[in-house]
């Protein structure tokens, strides 16, 4: 049984709840334990994962959040930098599924977050578990 930490940027409650439900369903269906940690925004997710990874309390991570394009350049910064930082942590060997939605509007967020539609929370949990399996496979 693996210990999975879902790190969520709690900004859009309805979408986050759906994403977490999808991720939790996938992890628990495979017998893994799940905890949720909330951070202020998507830019804080990679830092929280890095700190949690150092503690060696968790085996894999699922990043959950929603970034909806607004009227300013802030969307590009948050979307790009959160993805870049998560990828850097993944390249360092941390098993992370990236479920941070970067969308144009609420309708796109709903379709992607809903476990009955695109289930991006569930997909990101599957990605984290796949990377965890690769860690086990290639462990010396």
């Amino acid at each position: 049984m693996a210990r999975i930490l879902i790190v969520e940027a709690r900004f859009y409650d309805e979408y986050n709840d759906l994403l977490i439900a999808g991720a939790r369903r996938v992890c628990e269906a495979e017998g893994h334990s799940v905890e949720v940690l909330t951070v202020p925004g998507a830019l804080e997710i990679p830092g929280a994962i890095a700190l949690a990874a150092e503690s060696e309390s968790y085996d894999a991570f699922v990043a959950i959040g929603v970034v909806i394009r607004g009227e300013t350049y802030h969307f590009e910064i948050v979307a790009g930098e959160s993805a870049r930082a998560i990828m850097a942590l993944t390249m360092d060997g941390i098993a992370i599924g990236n479920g941070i939605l970067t969308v144009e509007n609420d309708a796109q967020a709903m379709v992607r977050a809903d476990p009955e539609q695109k289930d991006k929370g569930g997909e990101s949990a599957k990605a984290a578990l796949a990377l965890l399996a690769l860690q086990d496979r290639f462990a010396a």
Side-chain angles (χ1 to χ4, degrees):
M1 175 176 83
R3 299 158 300 166
I4 311 301
L5 182 64
I6 297 172
V7 180
E8 66 145 345
R10 177 58 58 162
F11 199 79
Y12 296 100
D13 291 338
E14 181 179 15
Y15 307 137
N16 275 43
D17 289 343
L18 291 169
L19 289 163
I20 290 170
R24 183 181 294 277
R25 178 185 44 77
V26 166
C27 294
E28 290 176 349
E30 293 196 23
H32 304 300
S33 68
V34 177
E35 289 184 44
V36 177
L37 174 68
T38 302
V39 297
L43 289 174
E44 288 74 41
I45 291 173
I49 289 173
L51 291 170
E54 286 179 11
S55 77
E56 298 183 6
S57 298
Y58 302 97
D59 302 301
F61 303 88
V62 180
I64 295 290
V66 179
V67 183
I68 299 176
R69 185 179 300 277
E71 297 176 0
T72 69
Y73 186 68
H74 186 67
F75 171 88
E76 282 82 7
I77 293 170
V78 174
E81 291 301 311
S82 62
R84 182 201 56 76
I86 288 171
M87 182 56 68
L89 292 170
T90 302
M91 296 301 294
D92 285 341
I94 301 172
I96 305 170
N98 187 351
I100 301 174
L101 303 181
T102 53
V103 298
E104 298 292 329
N105 53 52
D106 287 303
Q108 289 178 355
M110 179 56 76
V111 168
R112 286 158 179 76
D114 187 349
E116 300 301 318
Q117 296 185 57
K118 293 202 179 235
D119 192 20
K120 295 300 182 181
E123 286 184 13
S124 58
K126 288 176 185 175
L129 295 175
L131 288 172
L132 184 59
L134 285 175
Q135 281 181 342
D136 292 342
R137 178 179 173 184
F138 295 119

